[in-house]
Amino acid sequence: MQGPGVVWYVGLSAFLFGIGALGVLVRRNPLIVLLSLEIMLNGANLALIAFARSAGNGAGQIFALAVMAVAASEVCVGLGLVVALHRKRLPLDVDKLSELRG
Amino acid sequence: MNTILAVSAGNIVVWAVWVIAGFACLASGVAVVSFSNPFFSALALIGNLGSLAVLYLLLSAEFVAAAQVLVYAGAVMVMFLFVIAYVGPQQETPWKGGPNWQTVGAVLAAGAIFIEVIVVLGLKAGGRLSHVHSVNATFGSPGWIGRLFLTDHLLAFEITSIVLLIAAVGGVILGEHTKRRDVAVEDAG
């Protein structure tokens, strides 16, 4: 394998995961929270594919494809929720949507 | 001598591509989190997904890179942009008014995750990861992935289809429910 070793890819994926976690925690717009979740999932995907290359077997790539399918379904439901909030004229702010808070 | 030169030249090219794609990946990730307009955040995420596809190609995962561009940068992000255009511009200034305790805590938590992963890599996995198995040319090709999906990982494949079906049904129910509620509100008013 030419170029940087697997450790570099995994470090990059950790940074991506951290950025995504920061976005989920800091941002209040549910659309951007969903986008940050995508970054977190992609960070995990990069680590999976790097480990698949390092171990030389395909289970990691299969797992990455399954993560992509889960991300697509998550976006489907999340965007459905955002559209439903918009139709009910509710504010698109995760701090103001606190009806279910215990 | 010629072979050695060719190998090192290829190595330099791979390093250069890795540095460019990795930097684009990090910069667009930071941009997604810090842009105030969700439309620009979504456009930055498309750049992030594209540079990640380049990194997947460097890791000889050709099919996953193609699926990343087609499914993520194509289908999912178009759906995102459509919904952002539908709900209209929602400006939000994320770092306004100095740091409050929530922002400080979030930055500390994200930094802790990052440092934890780096420390674990350095302590536990560094020696094991430096040895990389050699793979043949079919590694990551569509046919190889398809054969794995239909032999070793058939259960994961079928469960994925069920997850997608449930998500589609959930999306339809969310849309249908709010429509009926709107009609009821209009009738009452």
Side-chain angles (χ1 to χ4, degrees), chain B residues 41-178:
Chain B
S41 289
L43 289 182
L45 188 62
I46 293 180
N48 192 2
L49 299 172
S51 48
L52 270 172
V54 173
L55 291 177
Y56 293 169
L57 281 180
L58 292 185
L59 287 166
S60 55
E62 291 94 2
F63 180 72
V64 184
Q68 171 97 352
V69 172
L70 283 175
V71 175
Y72 255 126
V76 170
M77 292 318 295
V78 166
M79 199 158 82
F80 251 110
L81 289 175
F82 183 75
V83 169
I84 289 170
Y86 176 72
V87 302
Q90 308 272 333
Q91 294 287 345
E92 177 201 13
T93 43
W95 313 103
K96 168 188 63 178
N100 55 356
W101 66 269
Q102 279 174 321
T103 314
V104 172
V107 171
L108 285 180
I113 291 174
F114 178 57
I115 290 175
E116 217 167 284
V117 173
I118 296 298
V119 166
V120 168
L121 273 181
L123 289 183
K124 291 289 176 192
R128 227 175 304 158
L129 285 181
S130 59
H131 173 253
V132 175
H133 283 257
S134 60
V135 291
N136 50 11
T138 60
F139 185 82
S141 67
W144 182 77
I145 293 271
R147 190 160 294 118
L148 273 181
F149 254 138
L150 293 179
T151 53
D152 289 352
H153 302 283
L154 186 60
L155 183 64
F157 188 60
E158 297 297 336
I159 290 178
T160 300
S161 69
I162 294 174
V163 167
L164 283 171
L165 177 68
I166 293 173
V169 171
V172 169
I173 288 176
L174 278 172
E176 193 70 22
H177 183 69
T178 50

Side-chain angles (χ1 to χ4, degrees), chain A residues 48-80:
Chain A
L48 283 172
I49 289 174
F51 285 132
R53 179 67 187 79
S54 151
N57 78 35
Q61 293 194 13
I62 299 289
F63 199 170
L65 287 168
V67 168
M68 269 188 204
V70 170
S73 6
E74 167 241 315
V75 164
C76 174
V77 175
L79 289 182

Side-chain angles (χ1 to χ4, degrees), chain A residues 13-27 32-41 43, chain B residues 29-30 32-33 48 110 113:
Chain A
S13 86
F15 195 87
L16 273 182
F17 192 89
I19 294 262
L22 185 65
V24 169
L25 292 172
V26 170
R27 299 306 298 264
I32 296 189
V33 170
L34 276 176
L35 290 174
S36 306
L37 266 175
E38 296 295 315
I39 296 185
M40 288 174 80
L41 288 168
Chain B
V30 173
V32 170
V33 176
N48 192 2
I113 291 174

